[in-house]
Amino acid sequence: NITFFTAKWLKFVNENRNLTMEIRTKSDNFRAIENIQPNHNVVFAWTLSPQEVSEKFEHGAPSLEKRLESVMAAIEKGWRVRLCIDPALYIENFEKVYGGFIDEVFSKISADKLYDVSVGTFRVPKQYLKKMKKNRRNSILLNYPYETRGNVCTYEEDITKTMLDFIHDKLVKFVPENKIYM
């Protein structure tokens, strides 16, 4: 509701029917576009994190509860909606925190109404991480001893596999396998 970019992008997609657009957001402000007719060439992709992660690392972002309210409003209006558990962070009590988070999400959102779910762990280009560290020297997230693969800093392969396997195994209890992208 500040820049009206989303409404402009939606208008652009309406005028270019051969275009598919993903609009990724953490917003809780679906109200700003609720009167726009759904377009099946658009996928709204909400990045969701456990509330504990959001409070610690997503300063200024809406709460999980508020994001889920916007997700539900978009689904009710007929929009295609993707949930993004990305980036999943390797935190203390990872399985408890992320397990409870997934249970909470699917106690409120019906998986059969979702377009799909995407999952990824923290990863960032090496040079960008270096710049980020410069600006936030005391960040526990940015100062983790990441492994560099290619030009990307991320968790060690065994940690990544453990995290993704856990999230996948939890998700398949709610979401059909063919709607989960890792």
Side-chain angles (χ1 to χ4, degrees), residues 69-118:
E69 288 172 8
S70 281
V71 166
M72 291 184 284
I75 290 170
E76 286 175 25
K77 284 287 191 173
W79 290 95
R80 295 192 309 173
V81 172
R82 168 177 292 135
L83 300 184
C84 304
I85 302 172
D86 188 359
L89 300 181
Y90 185 59
I91 58 171
E92 189 175 339
N93 298 316
F94 171 81
E95 291 180 354
K96 179 181 178 200
V97 171
Y98 276 85
F101 155 70
I102 292 169
D103 287 339
E104 179 180 359
V105 167
F106 290 101
S107 73
K108 296 176 180 173
I109 305 291
S110 177
D112 63 327
K113 303 219 186 257
L114 292 174
Y115 183 65
D116 59 24
V117 179
S118 71

Side-chain angles (χ1 to χ4, degrees), residues 54-78:
S54 182
E55 288 171 4
K56 190 168 185 178
F57 298 109
E58 297 177 336
H59 305 287
S63 69
L64 173 60
E65 181 180 337
K66 292 292 187 187
R67 288 185 228 184
L68 289 175
E69 288 172 8
S70 281
V71 166
M72 291 184 284
I75 290 170
E76 286 175 25
K77 284 287 191 173

Side-chain angles (χ1 to χ4, degrees), residues 121-129 146-156 160:
T121 59
F122 181 87
R123 65 220 175 273
V124 67
K126 185 177 182 178
Q127 286 306 104
Y128 191 64
L129 180 62
Y146 296 107
E147 180 178 276
T148 303
R149 293 196 297 271
N151 193 32
V152 176
C153 297
T154 189
Y155 300 115
E156 297 168 19
T160 298

Side-chain angles (χ1 to χ4, degrees), residues 23-78:
I23 299 175
R24 190 165 293 207
T25 185
K26 293 180 184 176
S27 178
D28 66 346
N29 190 17
F30 182 72
R31 299 174 304 286
I33 59 163
E34 70 183 344
N35 294 321
I36 297 175
Q37 288 297 321
N39 180 327
H40 287 288
N41 288 12
V42 174
V43 177
F44 278 105
W46 264 272
T47 298
L48 301 178
S49 302
Q51 187 58 36
E52 302 92 292
V53 170
S54 182
E55 288 171 4
K56 190 168 185 178
F57 298 109
E58 297 177 336
H59 305 287
S63 69
L64 173 60
E65 181 180 337
K66 292 292 187 187
R67 288 185 228 184
L68 289 175
E69 288 172 8
S70 281
V71 166
M72 291 184 284
I75 290 170
E76 286 175 25
K77 284 287 191 173

